[in-house]
Amino acid sequence: QVQLVESGGGLVQPGGSLGLSCAASGTRFFSMYIMSWYRQAPGKQRELVARITSAGSTNYGDSVKGRFTISRDNAKNTLYLQMNSLNAEDTAVYLCNAARSVIGTVTNYWGHGTQVTVSS
């Protein structure tokens, strides 16, 4: 069972920056997981923010391209999200996801999330 714990959320002014972390435990195979950040704002559907594969390939949601950067440190079992040029529309709970396919079955793990609020 993989446990994911997000940290780094908080209140930031528009135009500011914030860095999130997601620490994974309970697995020796962190490097094999596809790791993602999702976010969910009140009244809205959960949306993909960014994803990084085991090989290091990345993709981003259209609304964050050029502003957010996802990275991972497999030696530390940690996922990161650097968020720049934040605006009010980025306000949401940010959740970490770990996914792995084994013999055709995909297993997903979720953290509890960390709140990011962008406001002046």
Side-chain angles (χ1 to χ4, degrees), residues 37-49 89-95 110 113-116:
W37 287 100
Y38 285 78
R39 68 185 181 186
Q40 187 154 22
K44 294 186 177 180
Q45 288 190 332
R46 186 172 295 183
E47 66 170 336
L48 175 68
V49 175
E89 287 69 41
D90 296 316
T91 295
V93 174
Y94 283 71
L95 302 113
W110 292 92
T114 185
Q115 176 70 46
V116 172

mmCIF file of all heavy atoms in Angstrom, residues 37-49 89-95 110 113-116:
data_model
loop_
_atom_site.group_PDB
_atom_site.id
_atom_site.type_symbol
_atom_site.label_atom_id
_atom_site.label_comp_id
_atom_site.label_asym_id
_atom_site.label_seq_id
_atom_site.Cartn_x
_atom_site.Cartn_y
_atom_site.Cartn_z
ATOM 1 N N TRP A 37 -0.063 15.340 -10.512
ATOM 2 C CA TRP A 37 -0.749 16.308 -9.657
ATOM 3 C C TRP A 37 -2.109 16.589 -10.302
ATOM 4 O O TRP A 37 -2.194 16.865 -11.509
ATOM 5 C CB TRP A 37 0.028 17.607 -9.544
ATOM 6 C CG TRP A 37 1.247 17.526 -8.714
ATOM 7 C CD1 TRP A 37 2.549 17.400 -9.133
ATOM 8 C CD2 TRP A 37 1.313 17.584 -7.279
ATOM 9 N NE1 TRP A 37 3.397 17.365 -8.062
ATOM 10 C CE2 TRP A 37 2.667 17.480 -6.904
ATOM 11 C CE3 TRP A 37 0.359 17.715 -6.271
ATOM 12 C CZ2 TRP A 37 3.093 17.506 -5.579
ATOM 13 C CZ3 TRP A 37 0.774 17.740 -4.953
ATOM 14 C CH2 TRP A 37 2.120 17.635 -4.616
ATOM 15 N N TYR A 38 -3.134 16.514 -9.486
ATOM 16 C CA TYR A 38 -4.462 16.926 -9.872
ATOM 17 C C TYR A 38 -4.882 18.065 -8.941
ATOM 18 O O TYR A 38 -4.267 18.289 -7.898
ATOM 19 C CB TYR A 38 -5.462 15.770 -9.716
ATOM 20 C CG TYR A 38 -5.368 14.702 -10.765
ATOM 21 C CD1 TYR A 38 -4.375 13.734 -10.730
ATOM 22 C CD2 TYR A 38 -6.293 14.643 -11.809
ATOM 23 C CE1 TYR A 38 -4.294 12.742 -11.698
ATOM 24 C CE2 TYR A 38 -6.227 13.657 -12.783
ATOM 25 C CZ TYR A 38 -5.223 12.714 -12.715
ATOM 26 O OH TYR A 38 -5.144 11.731 -13.679
ATOM 27 N N ARG A 39 -5.938 18.760 -9.345
ATOM 28 C CA ARG A 39 -6.504 19.762 -8.455
ATOM 29 C C ARG A 39 -8.016 19.749 -8.559
ATOM 30 O O ARG A 39 -8.580 19.367 -9.589
ATOM 31 C CB ARG A 39 -5.943 21.150 -8.760
ATOM 32 C CG ARG A 39 -6.357 21.740 -10.093
ATOM 33 C CD ARG A 39 -5.621 23.058 -10.325
ATOM 34 N NE ARG A 39 -6.001 23.698 -11.581
ATOM 35 C CZ ARG A 39 -5.423 24.781 -12.072
ATOM 36 N NH1 ARG A 39 -4.419 25.360 -11.404
ATOM 37 N NH2 ARG A 39 -5.829 25.298 -13.209
ATOM 38 N N GLN A 40 -8.626 20.167 -7.466
ATOM 39 C CA GLN A 40 -10.081 20.233 -7.437
ATOM 40 C C GLN A 40 -10.505 21.491 -6.715
ATOM 41 O O GLN A 40 -10.159 21.696 -5.536
ATOM 42 C CB GLN A 40 -10.679 19.008 -6.755
ATOM 43 C CG GLN A 40 -12.188 18.954 -6.839
ATOM 44 C CD GLN A 40 -12.740 17.554 -6.750
ATOM 45 O OE1 GLN A 40 -12.078 16.652 -6.236
ATOM 46 N NE2 GLN A 40 -13.938 17.349 -7.250
ATOM 47 N N ALA A 41 -11.219 22.329 -7.437
ATOM 48 C CA ALA A 41 -11.756 23.553 -6.863
ATOM 49 C C ALA A 41 -13.225 23.320 -6.504
ATOM 50 O O ALA A 41 -13.883 22.454 -7.089
ATOM 51 C CB ALA A 41 -11.629 24.700 -7.863
ATOM 52 N N PRO A 42 -13.752 24.103 -5.561
ATOM 53 C CA PRO A 42 -15.153 23.933 -5.162
ATOM 54 C C PRO A 42 -16.096 24.041 -6.363
ATOM 55 O O PRO A 42 -16.010 24.972 -7.152
ATOM 56 C CB PRO A 42 -15.371 25.090 -4.177
ATOM 57 C CG PRO A 42 -14.025 25.368 -3.629
ATOM 58 C CD PRO A 42 -13.066 25.129 -4.763
ATOM 59 N N GLY A 43 -16.972 23.057 -6.502
ATOM 60 C CA GLY A 43 -17.953 23.084 -7.577
ATOM 61 C C GLY A 43 -17.418 22.699 -8.936
ATOM 62 O O GLY A 43 -18.146 22.776 -9.932
ATOM 63 N N LYS A 44 -16.163 22.299 -9.002
ATOM 64 C CA LYS A 44 -15.564 21.944 -10.283
ATOM 65 C C LYS A 44 -15.077 20.502 -10.247
ATOM 66 O O LYS A 44 -14.830 19.932 -9.186
ATOM 67 C CB LYS A 44 -14.405 22.875 -10.622
ATOM 68 C CG LYS A 44 -14.810 24.313 -10.858
ATOM 69 C CD LYS A 44 -13.630 25.128 -11.326
ATOM 70 C CE LYS A 44 -14.032 26.559 -11.635
ATOM 71 N NZ LYS A 44 -12.887 27.384 -12.103
ATOM 72 N N GLN A 45 -14.930 19.936 -11.442
ATOM 73 C CA GLN A 45 -14.405 18.578 -11.530
ATOM 74 C C GLN A 45 -12.905 18.556 -11.275
ATOM 75 O O GLN A 45 -12.209 19.549 -11.507
ATOM 76 C CB GLN A 45 -14.697 18.001 -12.924
ATOM 77 C CG GLN A 45 -16.148 17.651 -13.165
ATOM 78 C CD GLN A 45 -16.351 16.874 -14.457
ATOM 79 O OE1 GLN A 45 -15.586 17.022 -15.403
ATOM 80 N NE2 GLN A 45 -17.371 16.030 -14.486
ATOM 81 N N ARG A 46 -12.448 17.421 -10.810
ATOM 82 C CA ARG A 46 -11.014 17.246 -10.615
ATOM 83 C C ARG A 46 -10.333 17.296 -11.976
ATOM 84 O O ARG A 46 -10.797 16.680 -12.939
ATOM 85 C CB ARG A 46 -10.745 15.909 -9.939
ATOM 86 C CG ARG A 46 -9.315 15.659 -9.550
ATOM 87 C CD ARG A 46 -9.186 14.388 -8.713
ATOM 88 N NE ARG A 46 -9.874 14.527 -7.437
ATOM 89 C CZ ARG A 46 -9.857 13.581 -6.494
ATOM 90 N NH1 ARG A 46 -9.192 12.446 -6.697
ATOM 91 N NH2 ARG A 46 -10.511 13.771 -5.363
ATOM 92 N N GLU A 47 -9.235 18.017 -12.070
ATOM 93 C CA GLU A 47 -8.536 18.138 -13.345
ATOM 94 C C GLU A 47 -7.059 17.814 -13.185
ATOM 95 O O GLU A 47 -6.454 18.072 -12.146
ATOM 96 C CB GLU A 47 -8.695 19.539 -13.942
ATOM 97 C CG GLU A 47 -8.051 20.648 -13.152
ATOM 98 C CD GLU A 47 -8.015 21.978 -13.894
ATOM 99 O OE1 GLU A 47 -8.054 21.967 -15.145
ATOM 100 O OE2 GLU A 47 -7.931 23.027 -13.233
ATOM 101 N N LEU A 48 -6.502 17.269 -14.257
ATOM 102 C CA LEU A 48 -5.079 16.969 -14.281
ATOM 103 C C LEU A 48 -4.292 18.264 -14.397
ATOM 104 O O LEU A 48 -4.539 19.077 -15.283
ATOM 105 C CB LEU A 48 -4.742 16.059 -15.456
ATOM 106 C CG LEU A 48 -3.267 15.766 -15.669
ATOM 107 C CD1 LEU A 48 -2.712 14.911 -14.537
ATOM 108 C CD2 LEU A 48 -3.042 15.084 -17.014
ATOM 109 N N VAL A 49 -3.321 18.421 -13.522
ATOM 110 C CA VAL A 49 -2.429 19.583 -13.571
ATOM 111 C C VAL A 49 -1.161 19.241 -14.339
ATOM 112 O O VAL A 49 -0.769 19.932 -15.274
ATOM 113 C CB VAL A 49 -2.067 20.056 -12.153
ATOM 114 C CG1 VAL A 49 -1.050 21.189 -12.206
ATOM 115 C CG2 VAL A 49 -3.329 20.477 -11.401
ATOM 116 N N GLU A 89 -7.564 31.600 -10.370
ATOM 117 C CA GLU A 89 -8.104 30.358 -10.935
ATOM 118 C C GLU A 89 -7.289 29.128 -10.538
ATOM 119 O O GLU A 89 -7.728 27.994 -10.751
ATOM 120 C CB GLU A 89 -8.175 30.451 -12.456
ATOM 121 C CG GLU A 89 -9.281 31.370 -12.995
ATOM 122 C CD GLU A 89 -9.003 32.835 -12.692
ATOM 123 O OE1 GLU A 89 -7.834 33.273 -12.817
ATOM 124 O OE2 GLU A 89 -9.960 33.543 -12.324
ATOM 125 N N ASP A 90 -6.125 29.333 -9.959
ATOM 126 C CA ASP A 90 -5.305 28.211 -9.486
ATOM 127 C C ASP A 90 -5.687 27.773 -8.079
ATOM 128 O O ASP A 90 -5.161 26.778 -7.579
ATOM 129 C CB ASP A 90 -3.828 28.586 -9.513
ATOM 130 C CG ASP A 90 -3.318 28.865 -10.916
ATOM 131 O OD1 ASP A 90 -3.646 28.097 -11.832
ATOM 132 O OD2 ASP A 90 -2.580 29.864 -11.088
ATOM 133 N N THR A 91 -6.584 28.498 -7.454
ATOM 134 C CA THR A 91 -7.032 28.143 -6.108
ATOM 135 C C THR A 91 -7.771 26.811 -6.138
ATOM 136 O O THR A 91 -8.739 26.635 -6.882
ATOM 137 C CB THR A 91 -7.959 29.234 -5.552
ATOM 138 O OG1 THR A 91 -7.210 30.440 -5.395
ATOM 139 C CG2 THR A 91 -8.547 28.810 -4.205
ATOM 140 N N ALA A 92 -7.285 25.854 -5.348
ATOM 141 C CA ALA A 92 -7.862 24.516 -5.341
ATOM 142 C C ALA A 92 -7.144 23.671 -4.306
ATOM 143 O O ALA A 92 -6.111 24.083 -3.759
ATOM 144 C CB ALA A 92 -7.719 23.862 -6.720
ATOM 145 N N VAL A 93 -7.685 22.488 -4.077
ATOM 146 C CA VAL A 93 -6.948 21.468 -3.339
ATOM 147 C C VAL A 93 -6.128 20.685 -4.365
ATOM 148 O O VAL A 93 -6.662 20.211 -5.368
ATOM 149 C CB VAL A 93 -7.901 20.510 -2.592
ATOM 150 C CG1 VAL A 93 -7.113 19.373 -1.951
ATOM 151 C CG2 VAL A 93 -8.690 21.282 -1.537
ATOM 152 N N TYR A 94 -4.845 20.592 -4.103
ATOM 153 C CA TYR A 94 -3.940 19.892 -5.011
ATOM 154 C C TYR A 94 -3.652 18.499 -4.455
ATOM 155 O O TYR A 94 -3.240 18.362 -3.295
ATOM 156 C CB TYR A 94 -2.651 20.686 -5.181
ATOM 157 C CG TYR A 94 -2.843 21.870 -6.101
ATOM 158 C CD1 TYR A 94 -3.589 22.969 -5.693
ATOM 159 C CD2 TYR A 94 -2.301 21.881 -7.386
ATOM 160 C CE1 TYR A 94 -3.798 24.050 -6.539
ATOM 161 C CE2 TYR A 94 -2.499 22.957 -8.240
ATOM 162 C CZ TYR A 94 -3.258 24.029 -7.810
ATOM 163 O OH TYR A 94 -3.460 25.100 -8.647
ATOM 164 N N LEU A 95 -3.871 17.508 -5.296
ATOM 165 C CA LEU A 95 -3.741 16.113 -4.875
ATOM 166 C C LEU A 95 -2.663 15.399 -5.683
ATOM 167 O O LEU A 95 -2.544 15.586 -6.887
ATOM 168 C CB LEU A 95 -5.069 15.378 -5.056
ATOM 169 C CG LEU A 95 -6.256 15.980 -4.305
ATOM 170 C CD1 LEU A 95 -7.269 16.547 -5.285
ATOM 171 C CD2 LEU A 95 -6.917 14.941 -3.422
ATOM 172 N N TRP A 110 -3.929 7.846 -3.927
ATOM 173 C CA TRP A 110 -4.151 9.287 -3.799
ATOM 174 C C TRP A 110 -3.711 9.781 -2.442
ATOM 175 O O TRP A 110 -3.872 9.087 -1.424
ATOM 176 C CB TRP A 110 -5.631 9.606 -3.968
ATOM 177 C CG TRP A 110 -6.160 9.374 -5.342
ATOM 178 C CD1 TRP A 110 -6.733 8.233 -5.824
ATOM 179 C CD2 TRP A 110 -6.179 10.322 -6.415
ATOM 180 N NE1 TRP A 110 -7.087 8.409 -7.143
ATOM 181 C CE2 TRP A 110 -6.763 9.687 -7.528
ATOM 182 C CE3 TRP A 110 -5.750 11.639 -6.553
ATOM 183 C CZ2 TRP A 110 -6.938 10.329 -8.759
ATOM 184 C CZ3 TRP A 110 -5.931 12.281 -7.773
ATOM 185 C CH2 TRP A 110 -6.513 11.637 -8.861
ATOM 186 N N GLY A 113 -4.365 15.653 -0.144
ATOM 187 C CA GLY A 113 -4.405 16.974 -0.754
ATOM 188 C C GLY A 113 -3.850 18.074 0.127
ATOM 189 O O GLY A 113 -3.773 17.936 1.353
ATOM 190 N N THR A 114 -3.467 19.155 -0.531
ATOM 191 C CA THR A 114 -3.015 20.347 0.171
ATOM 192 C C THR A 114 -3.680 21.560 -0.479
ATOM 193 O O THR A 114 -3.773 21.642 -1.705
ATOM 194 C CB THR A 114 -1.478 20.458 0.138
ATOM 195 O OG1 THR A 114 -1.055 21.573 0.926
ATOM 196 C CG2 THR A 114 -0.927 20.620 -1.268
ATOM 197 N N GLN A 115 -4.157 22.470 0.348
ATOM 198 C CA GLN A 115 -4.915 23.616 -0.146
ATOM 199 C C GLN A 115 -3.972 24.711 -0.638
ATOM 200 O O GLN A 115 -3.039 25.106 0.059
ATOM 201 C CB GLN A 115 -5.801 24.182 0.953
ATOM 202 C CG GLN A 115 -6.572 25.449 0.579
ATOM 203 C CD GLN A 115 -7.679 25.177 -0.431
ATOM 204 O OE1 GLN A 115 -8.440 24.226 -0.283
ATOM 205 N NE2 GLN A 115 -7.766 26.015 -1.460
ATOM 206 N N VAL A 116 -4.259 25.196 -1.841
ATOM 207 C CA VAL A 116 -3.563 26.357 -2.387
ATOM 208 C C VAL A 116 -4.600 27.447 -2.614
ATOM 209 O O VAL A 116 -5.589 27.224 -3.311
ATOM 210 C CB VAL A 116 -2.854 26.013 -3.708
ATOM 211 C CG1 VAL A 116 -2.308 27.288 -4.365
ATOM 212 C CG2 VAL A 116 -1.737 25.014 -3.463
#
